[in-house]
Amino acid sequence: MSAEIRVWEPVGPDNYSYELVKSVAGYYGVAMTPPGSPERAMAAREDEARGVGWWVINGDEKFKVHKVEATRKPIRIHAETTPPFGEWREVTA
């Protein structure tokens, strides 16, 4: 059973960087490669090694999240827990 994804936003100034590491298989990732194919297995291994997905960055610290909502301020992240740096509050609306 996986943990519940919650929405968080930083309290105070947002001095963090947000980075999206894209899949080697393109925009849709490994889902666009044939199931069970060697291409899919290779893409999945490379994606895992590269850390594909969204990251919140604070200096040398990085925290992987499920999604970043950057179209509004303050920026919101979707994750099971808050990043281990800074102060964050849970958003319900």
Side-chain angles (χ1 to χ4, degrees), residues 17-91:
S17 300
Y18 302 90
E19 178 184 9
L20 174 61
V21 178
K22 294 183 180 180
S23 172
V24 295
Y27 179 78
Y28 293 103
V30 296
M32 293 304 292
T33 57
S37 69
E39 294 86 4
R40 179 174 238 161
M42 182 190 72
R45 280 192 305 274
E46 286 185 43
D47 283 357
E48 182 71 26
R50 292 178 60 235
V52 166
W54 280 103
W55 294 86
V56 179
I57 304 166
N58 183 38
D60 292 336
E61 296 179 279
K62 291 177 84 173
F63 181 75
K64 189 166 176 53
V65 298
H66 292 273
K67 180 180 175 184
V68 173
E69 290 180 36
T71 57
R72 59 177 311 283
K73 295 290 182 180
I75 291 176
R76 294 180 173 177
I77 62 170
H78 295 235
E80 289 93 2
T81 62
T82 63
F85 43 79
E87 188 178 350
W88 299 78
R89 69 175 155 242
E90 187 173 0
V91 179

